[in-house]
Each structure stands twice: as structure tokens, then as C-alpha cells.
Amino acid sequence: MDGTMIPPPEESGAAAVPWLVRLPGLFDGFAGDVLASLGAAPVKRLGQEYHWIRLSHPAALRESEASIFLRWNLPLEHAWPCQPAKIEGFIEKAAQTLKAKFGDRAPQGVFVGALHPTSPDRYFRHFAANLRGRLVQLFPEGTAKAVEDQEPDRATLFVLVGKEGLYAGMATPREANGFYPGGSRYIAQHESDTISRAGAKIAEAIHYLRLHRPPFAPGSHWLELGACPGGMTSELLARGQKVTAIDRAPLDPRLAGKAGLTFVLDDVARFEAPPGVVYDAMLDDMNGPPEESIVQVVRLSRFLKPGGVVVFTLKVPRMESVSGPVTLLRETIFNARRAGLHLIARTHLTYNRHEFTLFFEKPPTVS
Ligand SMILES: C[S@@+](CC[C@H](N)C(=O)[O-])C[C@H]1O[C@@H](n2cnc3c(N)ncnc32)[C@H](O)[C@@H]1O
């Protein structure tokens, strides 16, 4: 599906289905345009970042370029708009209703999140934890599973609660675009003395990538373009990865002499891998025009192993409309594809600001 507008349900004639989507607050200025591009009719705003919508073409969530603005999505199979705090025995009633409705479908796990995840009021986070505790008792098989143990392509029951009520549905983590209700969430960095916020970004990106690929083997060798001051480098090393990092500026002195690290102080445009060296993964977080960054990724992809991955931060100069970021996204994917790099996923991570994270793969058969 290209960037063309999908007609809203009332014009398309197709039956519209209810869906819950999470659209980061950063895109609030043009949220209506994002939803319109997906052919969605808004029903109600829920919590901080959730939108209850009706969709005539749910495939748009996977195929439309505008879906890059959505962090997470769920078919809304059960909606109970209410004020939970005012309903006596709400947790038990909600748990029994969910069991009656979804019990036969044997979800691989049941996870409950808050519609207002960053609210300082902890009431609904406790509420979510208590509801999950009761659901784990009611759904016998698989539900005590930790988030990390889920299979990306088996259906999970996701539930969200907040002062606007309770909303639930089943989807695989891959379809929903995250293992947690609402997407990904804070992934602890390994280093306590973190060098930059970017360390959290690569930690989250690696977690997210498990939706699409097995985890990286210990000792995988990364080529990192634009590494200074070294938050991502530090995080990769702490995860037992090897890193060849390139930057025009020096790394934080705390990284000096770290095992597994090779640092090249130079312009990425001049870098050539030493003879015989190939990399398992490439990471690009260079600032500057993304059109130039992707040229370097494409040039250096000949040093990537077949089946190797590229994690690419697409930095968007202006995040004011649907069309600007989408055009840049389309051009970047097109340029990568010409070099044989296939897009396997794209998302907006919790730690992304005016940027998206794209994941490319070099096909296993191309040398
Ligand atoms: C946003 S910072 C990277 C932050 C880093 N990922 C971290 O975890 O700390 C961007 C870096 O890209 C580097 N950079 C941009 N263009 C470059 C080029 N052509 N050659 C080398 N380094 C470049 C800049 O020097 C800068 O340090």
C-alpha cells in the first residue's frame, strides 16, 4: 500500500472494526491526519496516547506508510467504558468477563497495562498489577509467562485499564508491534554510569527486534557509524557484543581500553573494513541529513555478512505533518533496497524523539 489516503469507513462501504492504537504524544499536532491517512474514523481518545478508532481496512496498520507513527495497535474485542474506581468488585467482574470471553482461545499470556503509563498517580498501575494477578489465576496455561518469554507469533491477551475503563483484545506481539501492552517500555541499560541517552535506544531496539528475529549471538561484531560519545557502544559492549565504532569525534574516556572495542577516529565516508573482516550487524546513529547517512550504510553494507542486520536511526528534520516524514521514509527504504537491503521492521521507540528506527536485513543468499 503506498502513501495514498484510504477512505474512511463511512465512504468505503467496508465493515468497520474497532481498534485501539497508540500514537505518541509527539505527533499530537497532526494526529487527525495520521488517522485519516489510515482510513480510520476516531471514536474516542483514551488515556495519554491511545485512540479508539474504527477501521475499514485493518491491513493499513501493516501496509500504509503512515502506520510508522503508531507505536502499537490492538483489535478492540472488548471495551468497557466506565469509571473502574466507582464500581464495586471491578477487578473480579473484569477478570470473570475476560475469562468468559477469551478463555477458549488459550492466549499464550495475559498482560495488563495502564492507559496513563507515565501518570504520577500510581492507582491504575496497582490496579493493572492486581487485575493481572487475578487473571493469571483464572487463565491456567501459559499466563504466568514473563513478557520476555512470549513467542512473537502466538496470540496474547492484552488489556489496558485507566479512568476511562477497560479495553482488551488478542493479537500476536508481532502484529501488535510490541511485547507489552502499549508497546515497549523502559529497558534497563546495563551501565549504571550511562554515557548518553542513546544507550537506552539501542537496548530498546534490540528488545524490539526480537519480534522479528532471534537474539544476537554473544560476540556478534557490530560496525557503528557515528558513535560519539558512546552510549550505544557502551550498551553493546555490556551485552557481550564486539564493536568497531567510527566517529569524527572521540569517544567518552570511560570507554578507553574496553574489551571488544575498536575505535576509528575518522569520517565514516573514508572507512573501509580491514581485509577479511565482515560484520554481523551495522548501527547508524549519525546526525546530519539522512539522505547522506543511508549512502554510507549502503556503501558499507558490502562488509555485512549475509543475513546481517542494519539498525538505522532515521532522523527527521521536521516532524510537522504526515507527508514529510513519510517521503523521507520512502526514499530511505528505496535507496536501501537498491543495495539489496530489505526492510524488516520500522517503528518509533520510546526513546526516539524526532526520528524513527528502521531495521534492514541483507538477504542470506547475497554475498
Ligand atoms: C547523535 S550522535 C551519536 C550518539 C551515539 N549513538 C551515542 O550513543 O552516544 C551523532 C554522531 O555522528 C557523528 N557523525 C556524523 N556524521 C559523521 C561522519 N560523516 N563521520 C563520522 N562521524 C559522524 C557526529 O560526530 C556525532 O558524534
Coordinates of all heavy atoms in Angstrom, one line a residue, residues 217-220 235-242:
A217 N 23.8 -13.4 18.7 CA 24.7 -14.4 19.4 C 25.7 -13.6 20.2 O 26.1 -12.5 19.8 CB 25.4 -15.3 18.4
P218 N 26.1 -14.1 21.3 CA 27.2 -13.4 22.1 C 28.4 -13.3 21.2 O 28.7 -14.1 20.3 CB 27.6 -14.4 23.2 CG 26.4 -15.3 23.3 CD 25.8 -15.4 22.0
G219 N 29.1 -12.1 21.3 CA 30.3 -11.9 20.5 C 30.0 -11.4 19.0 O 30.9 -11.4 18.2
S220 N 28.7 -11.1 18.7 CA 28.4 -10.6 17.4 C 29.2 -9.3 17.2 O 29.3 -8.5 18.1 CB 26.9 -10.4 17.2 OG 26.2 -11.6 17.3
E235 N 26.6 0.2 25.7 CA 25.5 -0.7 25.9 C 25.7 -2.0 25.2 O 25.6 -3.1 25.7 CB 24.2 -0.1 25.5 CG 22.9 -0.9 25.7 CD 22.6 -1.2 27.2 OE1 23.1 -0.4 28.0 OE2 22.0 -2.2 27.4
L236 N 26.2 -1.9 23.9 CA 26.5 -3.1 23.1 C 27.6 -3.9 23.8 O 27.5 -5.2 23.9 CB 26.9 -2.8 21.7 CG 25.8 -2.3 20.8 CD1 26.3 -1.7 19.5 CD2 24.8 -3.4 20.5
L237 N 28.7 -3.3 24.2 CA 29.8 -4.0 24.9 C 29.3 -4.7 26.2 O 29.7 -5.8 26.4 CB 30.9 -3.0 25.2 CG 31.7 -2.4 24.0 CD1 32.6 -1.3 24.5 CD2 32.4 -3.4 23.2
A238 N 28.4 -4.0 26.9 CA 27.9 -4.6 28.2 C 27.1 -5.8 27.9 O 26.9 -6.6 28.8 CB 27.1 -3.5 28.9
R239 N 26.5 -5.9 26.7 CA 25.7 -7.1 26.3 C 26.6 -8.1 25.6 O 26.1 -9.0 24.9 CB 24.6 -6.6 25.3 CG 23.5 -5.8 26.0 CD 22.6 -5.2 25.0 NE 21.6 -4.5 25.8 CZ 20.4 -5.0 26.1 NH1 20.0 -6.2 25.6 NH2 19.5 -4.3 26.8
G240 N 27.9 -8.0 25.7 CA 28.8 -9.1 25.2 C 29.0 -9.0 23.7 O 29.4 -10.0 23.1
Q241 N 28.7 -7.9 23.1 CA 28.9 -7.7 21.7 C 30.3 -7.1 21.4 O 30.9 -6.4 22.3 CB 27.8 -6.8 21.1 CG 26.4 -7.3 21.4 CD 26.0 -8.5 20.7 OE1 25.6 -8.5 19.5 NE2 26.0 -9.7 21.3
K242 N 30.8 -7.3 20.2 CA 32.1 -6.7 19.8 C 31.7 -5.4 19.0 O 30.7 -5.5 18.2 CB 32.9 -7.6 18.9 CG 33.8 -8.5 19.6 CD 34.5 -9.5 18.6 CE 35.4 -8.8 17.6 NZ 36.0 -9.7 16.7

